[in-house]
Amino acid sequence: MKISLPLTLISCTLSYLASAAPASVSRVTVAPGGSTLYGITYNPKNSDGSCMSQANVNKDIAKFKQNGIINVRTYAQECNQLEQIVNAIATAGGGMTVVAGVWIDGSEAGYQTEVSTLTKSLSSNSKAKGYVSGVIVGNEVLYDNRMSASALASKIDDVKSKVESYGLLVGTAETPSTFDPAIVSSSDFLVANIHPYFGKVSASSAGANLKAQFMSLKSKLNGKDVIIGETGWPTAGSANGQAVPSVQNLQSFVQQLQCENAGLKYYVFDGYDSPWKPSGNLNVEQHWGLWQADGSSKGINIKVSC
């Protein structure tokens, strides 16, 4: 039976666990940012949800680098994407990192397939050691009630044992309110998905809201490494309080990230629109990309002046 703890108790317990042992520092949390945005999330899929070719992944990774974005976060191992991204980084001349994702859908078979593909990609590609900067096991698993905290912690420990020889540290991604003490204890680092849009704030306040949420969470962890694994702004869909989806508001947030939040380590969600996803309650889930699903421009200026 899963027991829900009051947020105040969770906060106190998180502080205790984080202070009980020295925080580990992984390459993912110390990787330098590029000349524009620190990092970007990436799903190497075509607009119909099918797997991209190596050639198209090469184009995407080259585009990120050309726009000053050198850190990439993934969510899964499907489509042999880690292998493809590592190859694409090498083709682009290196100087980039990728955080490997292990998708947790709640099934043991799915998990074993993900981990097997991860370890195969790490062992078979000699370039992986230079470009893979860490592993994130699951994305909002507790938020979506796909697994208990103790079960997720066991998965984190399992992946840690399998990638230790590669010098990689392992964490998991949740919303700021769903970091259960069990996963905090098991993780080498934490990844917080923070979206001001869902906080119902105006686009002009998004940068300040992001920093406030991040600093509030960080203050409860007493030095445990934490990065922002997702943040962004949708360009279409329904308004959420004062948060209005539009290209203009995404541009405003991109400007704020570079000019007001330059000290934060964050991955902008998302590289491309995702028409293969369900639209979601507010009809925004398909519309978070900096670029259109087909790779064409939305008119977002990535290289802003502060």
Side-chain angles (χ1 to χ4, degrees):
M1 181 176 66
K2 184 176 180 181
I3 300 174
S4 299
L5 299 175
L7 287 179
T8 52
L9 180 55
I10 289 177
S11 298
C12 292
T13 313
L14 289 180
S15 297
Y16 170 76
L17 286 170
S19 61
S24 299
V25 180
S26 66
R27 282 186 287 165
V28 69
T29 59
V30 298
S35 59
T36 58
L37 299 167
Y38 176 82
I40 196 164
T41 65
Y42 180 51
N43 284 292
K45 292 184 176 183
N46 297 308
S47 59
D48 62 358
S50 61
C51 298
M52 275 190 173
S53 67
Q54 181 69 67
N56 284 337
V57 174
N58 289 354
K59 290 178 183 178
D60 286 345
I61 295 299
K63 178 187 288 187
F64 297 155
K65 188 175 183 182
Q66 290 163 5
N67 280 276
I69 305 170
I70 62 172
N71 298 305
V72 179
R73 177 200 167 184
T74 66
Y75 293 88
Q77 294 299 308
E78 65 177 333
C79 300
N80 199 30
Q81 61 181 267
L82 182 59
E83 177 87 7
Q84 288 189 319
I85 293 169
V86 166
N87 289 337
I89 291 174
T91 299
M96 300 179 71
T97 73
V98 55
V99 186
V102 172
W103 186 254
I104 300 288
D105 64 4
S107 73
E108 184 63 22
Y111 169 75
Q112 292 298 338
T113 298
E114 285 280 299
V115 174
S116 175
T117 306
L118 169 68
T119 55
K120 181 180 178 181
S121 295
L122 291 173
S123 64
S124 65
N125 194 321
S126 60
K127 310 178 193 79
K129 188 173 182 180
Y131 303 140
V132 180
S133 59
V135 181
I136 300 174
V137 179
N139 184 68
E140 300 183 2
V141 173
L142 302 187
Y143 178 81
D144 289 334
N145 293 311
R146 279 180 250 137
M147 186 176 287
S148 69
S150 60
L152 177 56
S154 293
K155 301 301 185 193
I156 296 168
D157 290 337
D158 181 53
V159 173
K160 285 166 67 174
S161 71
K162 289 178 168 62
V163 304
E164 184 178 9
S165 62
Y166 300 100
L168 298 174
L169 299 188
V170 180
T172 191
E174 284 291 338
T175 66
S177 64
T178 49
F179 278 107
D180 186 278
I183 64 172
V184 173
S185 179
S186 291
S187 296
D188 294 319
F189 63 95
L190 303 173
V191 183
N193 295 342
I194 304 175
H195 289 286
Y197 167 81
F198 291 118
K200 301 183 179 182
V201 301
S202 66
S204 61
S205 302
N209 179 269
L210 172 69
K211 187 171 184 178
Q213 289 194 62
F214 177 75
M215 296 307 294
S216 176
L217 174 63
K218 190 176 176 67
S219 70
K220 298 166 186 172
L221 299 175
N222 291 340
K224 189 88 169 190
D225 264 341
V226 57
I227 61 174
I228 299 168
E230 282 185 14
T231 194
W233 199 271
T235 55
S238 303
N240 187 28
Q242 297 182 61
V244 179
S246 73
V247 170
Q248 180 180 357
N249 285 340
L250 174 57
Q251 181 67 72
S252 173
F253 193 34
V254 166
Q255 179 92 16
Q256 292 170 64
L257 285 172
Q258 295 184 57
C259 300
E260 300 174 20
N261 300 111
L264 298 181
K265 293 180 173 63
Y266 57 82
Y267 289 80
V268 173
F269 180 81
D270 200 3
Y272 297 90
D273 279 353
S274 305
W276 46 272
K277 291 182 180 179
S279 59
N281 292 336
L282 293 166
N283 299 310
V284 296
E285 292 304 317
Q286 301 173 347
H287 306 292
W288 293 81
L290 290 176
W291 288 276
Q292 304 280 7
D294 63 1
S296 60
S297 174
K298 284 187 176 182
I300 300 297
N301 178 20
I302 308 297
K303 300 178 180 180
V304 305
S305 298
C306 297

